[in-house]
Amino acid sequence: MNIAFESWSQHPQLKAWIEEMVQLCHPKEVHLCDGSKKEYDTLCQQLVENKMFLPLNPQKRPGSFWCVSHPSDVARVEDRTFICSKTAEDAGPTNHWKNPEEMKHILTKLFQGCMEGRVMYVVPFSMGPYGSKLSLLGVQITDSPYAVVHMYIMTRMGKEALKVLGEKGEFIPGMHSVGMPLKPGEQDSTWPCSSTKYIVQFPEERSIWSYGSGYGGNALLGKKCLALRIASAKARDEGWLAEHMLILGITNPAGEKKYFVAAFPSSCGKTNLAMITPTMPGWKTECVGDDIAWMRFGADGRLYAINPENGFFGVAPGTSMLSNPNAMKTIQKNTLYTNVALTEDYDVWWEGMTPNPPEKLTSWKNTPWTPKMSEPAAHPNSRFTVPSQQCPIISPSFNDPQGVPISGIIFGGRRASLAPLVYETFDWEHGVFIGASLSSEMTAAAKGTIGQLRHDPFAMLPFCGYNMGDYFGHWLEMGKKTQPQKLPKVFHVNWFKKGADGKFLWPGYGENARVLKWMFDRVSQPSRVEAKKTPIGLIPHLEDLDLQGLSCSHQQLQELFSIDKEQWRTEVVELKKYFKIFQKHLPEGIQRQLQALEERVGV
Ligand code: OXD
Ligand code: MN
């Protein structure tokens, strides 16, 4: 097959890899992507012709499309996700592992002829701003035009990425196929995918192979596969951090600005917090990212973060003018919707968008839906994909190659009891322990039982590219790279604590900015407010929380900050059991912190 490399790239290794993959996959054609708007529009048009995309009402959602997946291909498949390091020990107890040689054998067989009858697209992309020392380049090969248009939004893709790559630059190769070759004359499915799925990372070789799924988290290889699983392994080797964290900036009425990163397990409100509208007068926020942060120490000894992504791939259900007005404004145009419901006038709807659903909808299963039906109209993990630049509060530093300096790190989970609204950790080691101890009630972002508590250290459980015990060790080591006063302070929040009546104690959403304000005061140097020492960490004196205009009773506040030692002792027992799985990889610092917590909450 003649591939028109001349005006595209002169990178010998890239060309050789593409040729090798053509030999393996037998596509009918190769499309070398340039990343232009024209290319994006043409592909969207083709997806409309192939009935995968439906254009939405141009008066309501200009430049936007609706699309539904195969009912079996709706989320990340953690049980089919593998970290194929040389040894099982290196992948650790929280990852699925297979011998790399054995896995290569399986994949080679699966990819053999898998693109027959389809176009092979080659997508060069940059994770992070062009020219930033913190950015990485990748190239995804895929037979999914859906993946290409999503990569166009989610990454910086095309000619510009090739320019940075030059003839010798390093790139991370990612091979993706929906795993459904087409015989001559065979009618394509509107959502091609396979019942066999493999999402495979080779962390030493730094390569990705993904087979059988068209769903975002499995098919957009720049995101979870590269920017978290591969990048975390690279970050360990090179002394930086690749994290499942949002990045946000907050400015007080006096014009002082500080940046925070926050890690919450999937679908626990990261996008809402990243785009928060503060309820306190005079406070402003800006969004740098809603899902991933790459961080390194700068020459001044402070930690700097970039968002490697260029778009938001957000969970739609629950997003509303109440929960996240900035997201609602962001997705008004040029947005790709997957598995949400369709209204009669070709707009979108999902549970939680409005208090009452429209009378008639087309569900995510592409069937008529009415409010009488017990099944939701939109899939709980339905998504919007939209360029970050459309966010009304996108940070002016979004494209800054230096990144933004981080003053605080926030961990959080969905816990109906136990953790108070907010607490600060005593020091870096205690902060790392809190990250390692993170657990949350499960959501729909991954397959599993919704509501069940699962340990999700650093919200990285499905995303850490090596042994999680070593990852804790890496975080502890990072804390030794600078002076203690230059390290960000570490906090834990729980927006989801419930009272004895089973109702949420804290109103959440924009009111969460009140908690950010307390953190802002705490990370100021010197701290502007004192904190109260408790056995689990430092909590606010109630008078230091700005509660003006909030209808939160004294009783509710007491409950929000109550620390039930008995519950914490149970937590210690649970953590002891959990941390055993890391065996000799569990760092001393974590053991020391666990013991210290046990002593503090002991009778
Ligand atoms: C996501 C996830 O899609 O964490 O961001 O699952
Ligand atoms: Mn995520």
Side-chain angles (χ1 to χ4, degrees), residues 393-587:
I393 59 155
I394 196 67
S395 168
S397 302
F398 180 76
N399 280 313
D400 187 341
Q402 306 293 324
V404 294
I406 300 302
S407 300
I409 299 176
I410 308 168
F411 293 112
R414 201 178 267 273
R415 297 292 301 254
S417 59
L418 192 79
L421 178 64
V422 58
Y423 64 98
E424 181 185 316
T425 60
F426 298 121
D427 54 24
W428 183 261
E429 188 179 274
H430 183 217
V432 175
F433 168 71
I434 292 307
S437 309
L438 213 62
S439 53
S440 187
E441 285 140 25
M442 276 189 79
T443 66
K447 279 188 173 174
T449 314
I450 294 176
Q452 199 182 336
L453 196 73
R454 84 160 174 179
H455 289 276
D456 192 350
F458 289 77
M460 282 289 277
L461 182 69
F463 307 123
C464 184
Y466 60 103
N467 190 310
M468 185 70 89
D470 296 344
Y471 167 91
F472 301 157
H474 176 56
W475 263 84
L476 291 170
E477 283 308 305
M478 287 293 289
K480 297 177 189 154
K481 281 183 185 276
T482 192
Q483 294 142 292
Q485 73 275 16
K486 294 205 169 153
L487 283 168
K489 283 195 164 148
V490 184
F491 300 87
H492 184 280
V493 297
N494 179 18
W495 315 135
F496 303 96
K497 197 169 186 194
K498 289 183 177 165
D501 58 1
K503 293 201 178 122
F504 288 117
L505 289 162
W506 180 247
Y509 307 126
E511 306 296 7
N512 293 339
R514 296 173 190 271
V515 176
L516 292 177
K517 181 180 173 193
W518 181 73
M519 293 178 191
F520 191 104
D521 288 339
R522 288 293 299 160
V523 300
S524 297
Q525 287 189 348
S527 292
R528 291 181 188 158
V529 290
E530 292 293 318
K532 194 157 101 189
K533 200 164 174 194
T534 78
I536 64 149
L538 305 163
I539 64 170
H541 291 285
L542 287 186
E543 60 273 21
D544 292 330
L545 268 184
D546 182 343
L547 299 172
Q548 228 178 14
L550 190 70
S551 57
C552 209
S553 70
H554 188 72
Q555 162 73 14
Q556 273 170 314
L557 287 168
Q558 291 296 332
E559 278 190 70
L560 270 170
F561 286 102
S562 69
I563 289 155
D564 180 335
K565 282 195 176 181
E566 186 56 47
Q567 277 184 16
W568 279 92
R569 283 196 288 272
T570 310
E571 181 79 356
V572 167
V573 172
E574 172 55 34
L575 284 171
K576 267 192 186 167
K577 196 165 101 202
Y578 178 64
F579 285 141
K580 275 212 175 93
I581 66 170
F582 300 107
Q583 299 177 2
K584 66 177 200 302
H585 291 266
L586 187 71

Side-chain angles (χ1 to χ4, degrees), residues 218-240:
N218 305 323
L220 313 180
L221 304 190
K223 194 173 178 64
K224 303 299 187 183
C225 305
L226 191 159
L228 289 176
R229 298 193 190 102
I230 296 291
S232 60
K234 198 164 159 57
R236 166 199 54 184
D237 298 345
E238 298 171 359
W240 51 284

Side-chain angles (χ1 to χ4, degrees), residues 337-393:
Y337 291 95
T338 305
N339 287 342
V340 303
L342 180 72
T343 66
E344 282 191 299
D345 58 353
Y346 290 75
D347 196 1
V348 288
W349 190 85
W350 46 77
E351 279 66 24
M353 183 201 261
T354 54
N356 297 310
E359 278 309 306
K360 276 190 188 156
L361 288 168
T362 301
S363 80
W364 75 276
K365 290 188 175 160
N366 210 354
T367 51
W369 187 94
T370 67
K372 289 201 192 80
M373 293 180 170
S374 56
E375 284 198 345
H379 188 276
N381 192 36
S382 52
R383 300 281 176 149
F384 53 76
T385 310
V386 66
S388 302
Q389 290 299 345
Q390 286 187 195
C391 178
I393 59 155

